[in-house]
Amino acid sequence: MVLDVHHHNCNNNGESIYELIPKIFSTWKNENLPPKFHFSSPRDGEKDRKHSDFINTNDFITFLENIKSFNTDIDIMLECKEKDLALFKLADDIKVLKPGYKWVDKSTFIV
């Protein structure tokens, strides 16, 4: 199962995304690869299902800080209109806001 964080935020029955994480991780238990997540930001307003051009850095960091407590490596695929430009902008923004993160390369880091 691939969890889409943005679409969960738009379409849920009040459950916290973090309540679902153990069940989602369990679907990956027999895989050699880490669990996959999709992350995007709404274009116009919190519940807008359309993807923004860029990722909201503060929302992304909040997600990372919360998912860290599960102590599991994950892959996050960004869904945004500006593609690579959005990735590198997000990386630059994170480096400013979270200088303690350890960067492996231009797009991979350890929280």
Side-chain angles (χ1 to χ4, degrees):
M1 174 178 195
V2 174
L3 175 64
D4 188 305
V5 175
H6 171 65
H7 289 284
H8 169 80
N9 291 339
C10 291
N11 301 299
N12 66 74
N13 294 318
E15 63 273 289
S16 164
I17 196 167
Y18 305 107
E19 294 172 15
L20 303 174
I21 299 297
K23 289 180 183 177
I24 291 162
F25 282 171
S26 74
T27 68
W28 288 83
K29 66 182 175 202
N30 294 322
E31 300 295 328
N32 293 328
L33 298 171
K36 309 296 184 215
F37 287 75
H38 288 179
F39 196 97
S40 57
S41 296
R43 184 167 61 185
D44 297 314
E46 185 178 333
K47 298 290 184 181
D48 187 354
R49 294 187 313 225
K50 294 180 287 302
H51 296 161
S52 177
D53 291 347
F54 296 94
I55 299 296
N56 179 301
T57 307
N58 290 319
D59 290 347
F60 190 72
I61 288 172
T62 297
F63 176 74
L64 293 177
E65 296 291 336
N66 283 298
I67 200 80
K68 180 181 178 180
S69 67
F70 292 93
N71 198 29
T72 301
D73 289 343
I74 62 172
D75 288 339
I76 299 175
M77 294 166 273
L78 302 178
E79 297 181 303
C80 36
K81 301 297 181 185
E82 288 296 328
K83 313 243 183 260
D84 289 350
L85 181 63
L87 168 66
F88 294 122
K89 179 185 181 318
L90 178 63
D92 289 342
D93 291 346
I94 291 170
K95 287 174 185 172
V96 169
L97 293 173
K98 292 294 186 174
Y101 287 3
K102 179 182 177 193
W103 288 85
V104 176
D105 58 35
K106 288 184 177 181
S107 64
T108 305
F109 58 93
I110 300 168
V111 179

